[in-house]
Amino acid sequence: MLAHILKKISYILLMLVTVQSFSQISGNVTDNKTGLPIDFVNVWIKNTLNGTTTNTNGNFDFENAKVGDTLLISYLGYEELEFTAKKENVVKLIPTLVELDEVIIIPMRNEQIKTIKSYKKYRKIKEFYFNGHYSLARFYEYKKEYKQNPFFKKLSVVISSSLKDKVKFKMYIIKADKDGKPSNQILSEYYILETDKGQNEITVDLTEEKLMIPKGGFFVVVDRLNLKENKFSNKIASDILQPAIGMEKEDSEKNTWLGFSGKWIAPNELKRFAGSNKNIAINIELTD
């Protein structure tokens, strides 16, 4: 009888431990130097597509993670961090020192415009990268013709959302490394953008940054943010991450990379992860 009771107690304790280990993980991410919260940071289970995103207060809830998982944060401007998940996590990111290229000061006149076009009319785009927590980065090789218009003026991207409320996503520019791959050097500011329901063209004005095109090439990155308010559910599926990102209509040279968990997947492997390997649809305005 006693053995039977002890067996039941052991079973109950085992169930409690199991439930606890698979329960929701939470945490807060701050800057180690300033102590300020860092918003819209992606937190991943290492080497997986399972992730979450911090909110405006630097807080995150991670329903798909469990105590003991190896979590990873790779956020440009900070040292990459791995840590073992606890029930509640206090995370402090250390800013990185980036060696800057030699700066050549050229006055910006903003008189002449050149456009690198990916699409003519945004409503004619019919293909999109849908559900999935990842970043998409499109590579642009430097061309001699850019010398006449060396500054970024505007970036435009085509976005679609099924939610009635506004959906947030992130957009920025990073430098290409010497091999033409995404580097860890961010060139522009992070832009947190919003889109309404339906298919829209969202434009970022970069004029105030006076940002010059790097001669080694660059990537325009669109980040999908895994926030509760960015998830759509219907009768067919639940928690479909929004927004969807438009693809180029033409089957041009494939220059779009996919990023998650601190790594980048090359264009020739993109289809296996995202269902297509077309370029994301981006229009760029350059100025003198």
Side-chain angles (χ1 to χ4, degrees), residues 169-215:
F169 66 98
K170 187 161 57 177
M171 198 169 178
Y172 52 97
I173 302 172
I174 62 175
K175 189 176 179 180
D177 68 14
K178 59 183 178 62
D179 298 317
K181 299 176 182 179
S183 76
N184 60 357
Q185 185 174 342
I186 188 166
L187 294 175
S188 73
E189 295 180 9
Y190 284 116
Y191 289 90
I192 307 300
L193 306 171
E194 292 184 330
T195 184
D196 293 314
K197 184 177 181 179
Q199 186 166 322
N200 300 289
E201 180 183 47
I202 306 298
T203 298
V204 177
D205 191 334
L206 302 172
T207 309
E208 293 299 317
E209 289 204 53
K210 296 181 173 60
L211 180 64
M212 295 185 67
I213 303 168
K215 291 189 176 179

Side-chain angles (χ1 to χ4, degrees), residues 115-145:
T115 304
I116 306 172
K117 276 195 174 291
S118 177
Y119 58 91
K120 293 181 180 179
K121 295 182 179 181
Y122 76 90
R123 291 197 178 276
K124 288 194 173 183
I125 290 179
K126 302 300 180 185
E127 294 183 88
F128 290 83
Y129 283 102
F130 282 95
N131 200 26
H133 182 200
Y134 46 70
S135 304
L136 291 169
R138 180 169 177 176
F139 174 65
Y140 292 86
E141 186 178 6
Y142 183 83
K143 296 181 180 179
K144 290 183 179 179
E145 62 194 72

Side-chain angles (χ1 to χ4, degrees), residues 42-91:
N42 288 323
V43 183
W44 304 92
I45 299 176
K46 187 180 178 181
N47 294 327
T48 76
L49 279 162
N50 291 323
T52 189
T53 305
T54 62
N55 62 17
T56 53
N57 297 314
N59 298 322
F60 68 87
D61 293 312
F62 204 158
E63 295 178 354
N64 294 326
K66 64 182 184 296
V67 173
D69 278 342
T70 299
L71 302 187
L72 181 142
I73 297 177
S74 181
Y75 191 69
L76 295 179
Y78 292 89
E79 294 181 7
E80 186 173 279
L81 178 67
E82 289 184 22
F83 59 99
T84 301
K86 302 176 182 177
K87 183 71 174 174
E88 296 180 0
N89 302 270
V90 177
V91 183

